[in-house]
């Protein structure tokens, strides 16, 4: 059986390429099949056939479940649908997912819908160095080297796996969510073997930004706005584990919709443009940290861990401010840096305690030296600390279960009801 007749029977994929297009057609509309207008690809031969005929694919390129080895599609610049993979789950002869080792689309500039190359454990490299625009979502897992250096915008970007280089040099705007996690399955309790330097030098706006894993550097000089589109409650979450000390600076960040949480071995922290932290801010550090928080107003602020120094030179109003240091923090100095500790709920204490302050008790500063008072404050503080922990834990569990539910971004079909034209639905409805 020849290649094209086999596919005519199966998906009629190559039929249109081989017969109906006599000219060296650059514009190819794949035949309509199970997954809409799509070339269904099971071998490199099929890709070569597409590459020799098409620069624009008016539809999708679908990697089929039994694809193995390298996947290379040169020449194609425009895929109006998706670049994705599909399986047929009720066919026992087919694997659950394809096993491409590398995916290389060197000329691709535009994908109208999505790049779904998630959940492919065999994948080592993903390279699309000219890809500038993706209409909806980019999901890639497992690859160690990911090259998306030209990508400027998308609705969603998602990566989970043992990444060592992730190039997103040009990424400016991700309207819904950036999710990057450099550990297997992003599971809690896993610490990756190697730390990773993440640079998002152009990123300015993200709906939500969630970074988890093991980082040795994070570079986001242009980040200005966590705009909270559909993931309003997600905000900005950064968590690193594994022992590296990381210096964080977000020089332009001035707006976060949704909570901001930073957790890990933080050696220094600066966010000098943030004045109105209109939602919650939590900072937890395992490294000694002397930090200045520039906010003028905030809802709640929770600062925990090995805080050695803490000042709030501008803070005028807040709803809740809780500080608990595991080391010898000078709470008095912190309190003095606050304009208005008596007007709003405030507590500051530390484990190696000789001084504690609480704006809730009158004359907190005066009472510090008095043993009985300190004990009283400690009890109050401990109760507060425990309830904070309980609340945090409940919130964490809640947000983690949400995270798992929402780990895969919605497809065009799922999101259609919200904000997409109906004709996109057929192309990418999930199995
Ligand atoms: C094939 O397409 C090219 C440009 O796309 C055109 O110049 C040429 O005339 C076409 N040939 C035939 C046989 O249609
Ligand atoms: C592109 O594909 C769509 C079907 O998805 C079809 O309606 C349209 O005519 C095609 N465009 C061209 C120029 O062939
Ligand atoms: C992939 O599966 C299809 C349908 O089951 C089959 O026709 C095709 O020959 C398989 N391709 C390879 C490379 O195994
Ligand atoms: C890709 O092709 C589609 C269909 O012809 C077109 O509408 C779109 O503008 C093209 N995109 C780019 C970047 O060339
Ligand atoms: C895949 O990644 C390895 C390691 O970085 C590299 O040596 C190899 O050239 C890459 N292959 C492709 C096709 O990019
Ligand atoms: C990723 O790294 C972890 C340890 O850091 C290792 O156990 C796991 O096998 C790796 N996964 C892959 C897919 O290479
Ligand atoms: C943040 O970005 C959103 C969406 O682009 C925009 O509506 C909002 O005005 C921006 N906010 C700030 C403070 O720049
Ligand atoms: C982090 O900043 C401190 C000073 O605040 C500096 O001594 C240290 O070298 C920096 N570490 C890195 C990894 O940049
Ligand atoms: C701070 O942000 C909140 C919520 O967005 C808003 O209600 C408040 O007016 C802002 N304050 C200033 C001074 O802009
Ligand atoms: C504070 O530092 C000590 C020693 O480096 C460490 O054992 C402890 O776990 C740290 N505290 C927190 C809350 O991470
Ligand atoms: C923290 O830094 C400030 C100035 O940046 C300094 O005045 C203060 O002494 C430092 N505190 C500690 C405990 O190192
Ligand atoms: C303290 O807070 C009260 C109540 O919000 C306000 O009236 C007062 O001006 C504040 N004082 C200072 C120094 O900010």
């Amino acid at each position: 059986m020849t290649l094209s007749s086999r596919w005519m029977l199966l998906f009629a994929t190559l039929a249109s390429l081989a017969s109906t297009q006599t000219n060296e057609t650059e514009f190819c509309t794949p035949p309509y099949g199970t997954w809409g207008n799509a070339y269904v690809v099971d071998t490199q031969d099929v890709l070569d056939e597409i590459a020799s005929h098409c620069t624009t694919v008016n539809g999708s390129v679908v990697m089929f479940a039994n694809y193995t080895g390298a996947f290379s599609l040169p020449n194609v610049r425009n895929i109006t649908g998706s670049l994705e993979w599909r399986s047929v789950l009720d066919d026992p002869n087919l694997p659950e997912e394809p096993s491409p080792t590398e995916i290389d689309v060197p000329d691709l500039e535009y994908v109208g819908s999505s790049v779904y190359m998630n959940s492919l454990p065999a994948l080592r490299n993903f390279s699309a160095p000219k890809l500038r625009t993706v209409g909806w979502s980019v999901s890639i897992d497992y690859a160690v080297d990911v090259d998306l250096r030209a990508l400027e915008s998308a609705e969603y970007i998602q990566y989970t796996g043992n990444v060592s280089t992730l190039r997103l040099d040009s990424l400016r705007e991700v309207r819904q969510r950036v999710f990057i996690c450099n550990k297997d399955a992003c599971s809690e309790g896993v610490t990756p073997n190697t730390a990773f330097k993440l640079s998002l030098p152009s990123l300015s706006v993200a709906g939500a930004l969630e970074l988890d894993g093991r980082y040795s550097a994070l570079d986001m000089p242009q980040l200005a706005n966590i705009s909270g589109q559909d993931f309003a409650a997600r905000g900005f979450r950064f968590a690193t584990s594994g022992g590296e000390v990381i210096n964080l600076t977000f020089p332009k960040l001035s707006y976060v919709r949704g909570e901001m949480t930073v957790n890990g071995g933080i050696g220094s922290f600066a966010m000098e443009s943030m004045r109105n932290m209109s939602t919650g801010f939590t900072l937890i550090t395992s490294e000694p940290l002397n930090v200045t928080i520039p906010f003028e107003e905030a809802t709640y602020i929770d600062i925990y861990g090995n805080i050695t120094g803490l000042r709030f030179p501008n803070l005028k109003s807040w709803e809740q401010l809780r500080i608990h240091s595991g080391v010898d923090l000078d709470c008095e100095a912190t309190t003095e840096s606050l304009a208005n500790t008596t007007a709003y709920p405030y507590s500051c204490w530390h484990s190696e305690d000789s001084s504690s302050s609480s704006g809730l008790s009158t004359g907190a500063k005066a009472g510090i030296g008095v043993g009985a008072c300190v004990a009283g404050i400690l009890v109050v503080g401990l109760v507060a600390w425990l309830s904070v922990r309980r609340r945090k834990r409940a919130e964490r569990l809640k947000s983690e279960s949400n995270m798992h539910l929402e780990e895969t971004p919605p497809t065009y079909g799922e999101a259609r009801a919200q904000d997409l034209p109906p004709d996109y639905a057929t192309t990418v409805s999930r199995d």
Side-chain angles (χ1 to χ4, degrees):
M1 227 190 232
T2 69
L3 197 62
S4 49
S5 61
R6 191 179 83 207
W7 282 95
M8 217 172 339
L9 287 173
L10 281 167
F11 308 107
T13 288
L14 287 183
S16 65
L17 286 172
S19 58
T20 66
Q21 288 165 357
T22 48
N23 195 3
E24 284 295 298
T25 305
E26 309 252 292
F27 188 95
C28 306
T29 297
Y32 188 83
T34 317
W35 297 300
N37 289 85
Y39 291 127
V40 180
V41 171
D42 68 339
T43 61
Q44 179 64 48
D45 288 347
V46 182
L47 290 171
D48 292 342
E49 195 70 27
I50 296 169
S52 69
H53 287 84
C54 316
T55 54
T56 291
V57 172
N58 179 32
S60 295
V61 174
V62 172
M63 183 192 297
F64 196 52
N66 54 9
Y67 198 101
T68 59
F71 178 106
S72 174
L73 181 61
N75 199 42
V76 172
R77 295 207 295 267
N78 184 342
I79 295 176
T80 66
S82 290
L83 176 64
E84 59 179 337
W85 68 268
R86 295 287 189 167
S87 188
V88 179
L89 291 177
D90 56 13
D91 185 340
N93 299 317
L94 285 173
E96 275 176 30
E97 80 266 319
S99 36
T101 49
E102 50 193 68
I103 296 174
D104 200 17
V105 278
D107 300 310
L108 190 62
E109 292 165 15
Y110 176 88
V111 172
S113 179
S114 296
V115 175
Y116 282 123
M117 288 296 170
N118 50 329
S119 311
L120 298 174
L123 190 61
R124 310 313 298 163
N125 297 20
F126 182 95
S127 173
K130 292 186 185 163
L131 183 57
R132 216 165 44 235
T133 308
V134 171
W136 190 243
S137 153
V138 178
S139 304
I140 295 166
D141 296 332
Y142 294 102
V144 175
D145 291 295
V146 177
D147 187 348
L148 289 163
R149 70 182 73 182
L151 186 63
E152 290 171 2
S153 65
E155 294 288 321
Y156 295 88
I157 303 253
Q158 175 170 305
Y159 174 87
T160 296
N162 286 351
V163 76
S164 77
T165 42
L166 176 55
R167 291 200 58 178
L168 288 165
D169 313 31
S170 310
L171 190 63
R172 259 187 306 104
E173 180 175 12
V174 180
R175 284 170 292 274
Q176 307 291 343
R177 181 186 186 214
V178 179
F179 179 86
I180 296 171
C181 185
N182 79 323
K183 54 186 174 181
D184 264 4
C186 202
S187 40
E188 221 188 339
V190 173
T191 299
N193 282 342
T194 52
F196 156 63
K197 284 189 164 78
L198 178 61
S199 180
L200 297 168
S202 312
L203 187 65
S204 164
V205 182
L209 183 55
E210 291 174 80
L211 308 174
D212 198 347
R214 181 172 182 176
Y215 294 86
S216 54
L218 179 64
D219 178 35
M220 299 198 290
Q222 300 301 324
L223 185 67
N225 182 347
I226 305 293
S227 63
Q229 301 287 321
D230 282 359
F231 284 97
R234 302 300 199 87
F236 182 2
R237 196 166 58 80
F238 173 76
T240 181
S241 59
E244 281 73 22
V245 181
I246 190 166
N247 288 349
L248 295 176
T249 172
F250 308 108
K252 292 197 174 164
L253 187 60
S254 66
Y255 179 74
V256 176
R257 181 152 175 246
E259 294 179 28
M260 178 163 182
T261 306
V262 174
N263 188 348
I266 317 296
S268 71
F269 182 87
M271 189 163 59
E272 60 261 33
S273 303
M274 181 64 77
R275 286 294 177 267
N276 186 357
M277 189 70 222
S278 54
T279 48
F281 175 76
T282 303
L283 173 65
I284 304 170
T285 179
S286 55
E287 289 295 318
L289 176 66
N290 182 1
V291 63
T292 298
I293 302 292
F295 312 157
E296 287 172 8
E297 57 183 285
T299 50
Y300 74 80
I301 301 178
D302 287 336
I303 296 186
Y304 307 130
N306 285 339
I307 302 290
T308 58
L310 177 62
R311 282 166 316 283
F312 296 93
N314 309 316
L315 194 60
K316 293 185 179 62
S317 71
W318 64 89
E319 284 172 18
Q320 186 82 253
L321 172 51
R322 285 170 295 213
I323 300 151
H324 172 223
S325 174
V327 293
D328 190 16
L329 173 68
D330 184 353
C331 278
E332 258 186 280
T334 302
T335 307
E336 272 162 18
S337 76
L338 284 160
N340 224 338
T341 45
T342 49
Y344 304 101
Y346 165 66
S347 64
C348 178
W349 62 290
H350 58 86
S351 307
E352 296 174 17
D353 199 80
S354 64
S355 79
S356 297
S357 301
S358 169
L360 291 169
S361 59
T362 47
K365 278 185 251 173
I368 285 160
V370 184
C373 183
V374 170
I377 290 166
L378 275 178
V379 170
V380 170
L382 189 64
V383 169
W385 168 241
L386 289 174
S387 74
V388 164
R389 287 206 339 177
R390 254 197 310 277
R391 186 176 63 80
K392 295 253 119 206
R393 200 158 151 267
E395 274 172 9
R396 213 185 62 222
L397 289 172
K398 204 169 94 212
S399 71
E400 271 160 17
S401 50
N402 287 345
M403 194 183 88
H404 281 285
L405 285 175
E406 288 166 19
E407 226 155 47
T408 309
T411 61
Y412 266 125
E414 284 157 7
R416 183 173 59 127
Q418 292 163 26
D419 56 11
L420 279 151
D423 46 322
Y424 284 110
T426 48
T427 340
V428 223
S429 60
R430 279 278 167 94
D431 296 325

